[in-house]
C-alpha cells in the first residue's frame, strides 16, 4: 500500500497536478483578497465601530468562500476524474477500482480542493491582521489603509509568482494583479451609501 507521503510526492511531481492546484489557489486567493478589501473598506465607511467586528465579518466571508472553494472543486474534480476513469476503463476493458490510477485521481482531487480552499483563507486573513491592532496601535481608518495595502501586496505576490512561472516580467504581473485591489478599494470608497 502506498503511503500518503509517497502519493503526495508522486502527485507533486506531476506538472499537470501542480498546474491545476496552482490555478485553483491563485484564482480563489484573488477572489478572497478582493472580497476582504471590499469588506474592510465597506465596513469602515459604514461606521463599523471596532476592529473585532471587521474581523468577525471577514471570518464569516472566509468560511463562505473557503467552503465554496473546497466544495465546488471537490465536486468538479470528482465528476471530471470519474469521467476520465470511465473513458480509460472503456478503452482498456478493465475495472480501475483500487488501482494506482484511481488512487492518484483521488489524491489529486484532495490536493486541488485543499489548495482551492487555502487561497481565499489566506486572501481574506492577511488584510484582516491590522484590525487586531485597532484601538491600541491603529485607528479604524489606519487599519483600513494598512489592510488595503496588505491586500494589494498579497495580490502582487500572486501576480509575481504567476509572472515568474510563465516567463513574464514578475513586477509587471505583480502590478497588474495589485491594481485590481486598488480598483476595488476605490470603487468601494466612491460608491454612494
Amino acid at each position: 500500500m502506498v503511503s500518503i507521503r509517497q502519493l503526495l510526492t508522486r502527485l507533486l511531481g506531476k506538472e499537470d497536478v501542480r498546474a491545476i492546484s496552482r490555478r485553483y489557489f491563485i484564482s480563489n486567493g484573488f477572489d478572497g483578497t478582493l472580497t476582504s478589501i471590499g469588506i474592510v473598506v465597506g465596513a469602515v465607511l459604514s461606521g463599523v465601530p471596532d476592529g473585532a467586528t471587521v474581523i468577525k465579518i471577514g471570518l464569516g466571508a472566509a468560511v463562505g468562500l473557503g467552503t465554496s472553494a473546497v466544495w465546488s472543486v471537490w465536486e468538479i474534480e470528482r465528476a471530471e476524474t470519474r469521467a476520465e476513469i470511465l473513458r480509460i476503463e472503456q478503452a482498456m476493458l478493465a475495472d480501475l477500482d483500487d488501482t494506482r490510477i484511481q488512487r492518484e485521481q483521488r489524491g489529486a482531487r484532495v490536493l486541488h480542493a485543499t489548495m482551492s480552499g487555502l487561497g481565499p483563507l489566506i486572501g481574506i486573513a492577511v488584510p484582516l491582521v491590522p484590525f487586531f491592532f485597532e484601538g491600541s496601535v491603529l485607528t479604524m481608518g489606519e487599519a483600513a489603509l494598512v489592510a488595503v495595502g496588505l491586500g494589494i501586496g498579497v495580490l502582487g505576490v500572486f501576480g509575481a509568482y504567476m509572472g515568474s512561472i510563465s516567463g513574464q516580467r514578475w513586477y509587471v504581473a505583480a502590478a497588474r494583479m495589485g491594481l485590481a485591489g486598488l480598483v476595488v478599494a476605490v470603487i468601494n470608497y466612491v460608491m454612494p451609501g
Side-chain angles (χ1 to χ4, degrees), residues 17 20-29 31 65-82 105-120:
V17 172
I20 292 169
S21 286
R22 211 175 23 238
R23 285 183 196 123
Y24 286 136
F25 177 81
I26 298 292
S27 176
N28 289 323
D31 291 347
L65 280 175
T67 301
S68 172
V70 170
W71 206 300
S72 65
V73 166
W74 182 265
E75 291 300 322
I76 290 165
E77 291 297 322
R78 186 176 69 73
E80 290 292 336
T81 56
R82 183 66 190 138
Q105 294 281 5
R106 187 176 342 128
R109 184 170 67 234
V110 169
L111 181 62
H112 297 329
T114 301
M115 295 306 290
S116 180
L118 284 175

Side-chain angles (χ1 to χ4, degrees), residues 36-37 40 126-131 141-153:
S36 191
I37 291 171
V40 162
V126 171
L128 294 177
V129 169
F131 290 95
E142 291 167 342
L145 287 174
V146 173
V148 170
L150 286 172
I152 290 170

Side-chain angles (χ1 to χ4, degrees), residues 83-96 101:
E84 183 179 346
I85 286 175
L86 287 173
R87 283 190 297 275
I88 294 169
E89 286 177 338
Q90 289 171 350
M92 294 177 63
L93 301 174
D95 181 14
L96 295 178
I101 293 170

Side-chain angles (χ1 to χ4, degrees), residues 90-172:
Q90 289 171 350
M92 294 177 63
L93 301 174
D95 181 14
L96 295 178
D97 284 345
D98 201 33
T99 63
R100 178 179 171 178
I101 293 170
Q102 192 263 344
R103 285 189 299 274
E104 285 184 1
Q105 294 281 5
R106 187 176 342 128
R109 184 170 67 234
V110 169
L111 181 62
H112 297 329
T114 301
M115 295 306 290
S116 180
L118 284 175
L121 294 179
I122 291 169
I124 289 174
V126 171
L128 294 177
V129 169
F131 290 95
F132 285 101
F133 303 101
E134 182 276 324
S136 61
V137 178
L138 301 169
T139 66
M140 283 292 285
E142 291 167 342
L145 287 174
V146 173
V148 170
L150 286 172
I152 290 170
V154 168
L155 294 168
V157 169
F158 288 161
Y161 175 69
M162 296 308 291
S164 70
I165 66 166
S166 63
Q168 300 175 59
R169 290 176 296 196
W170 66 267
Y171 51 90
V172 173

Side-chain angles (χ1 to χ4, degrees), residues 21-64:
S21 286
R22 211 175 23 238
R23 285 183 196 123
Y24 286 136
F25 177 81
I26 298 292
S27 176
N28 289 323
F30 185 82
D31 291 347
T33 307
L34 293 181
T35 298
S36 191
I37 291 171
I39 287 169
V40 162
V41 174
V44 171
L45 292 177
S46 297
V48 170
D50 56 67
T53 303
V54 176
I55 291 167
K56 290 175 188 174
I57 294 167
L59 292 177
V63 169

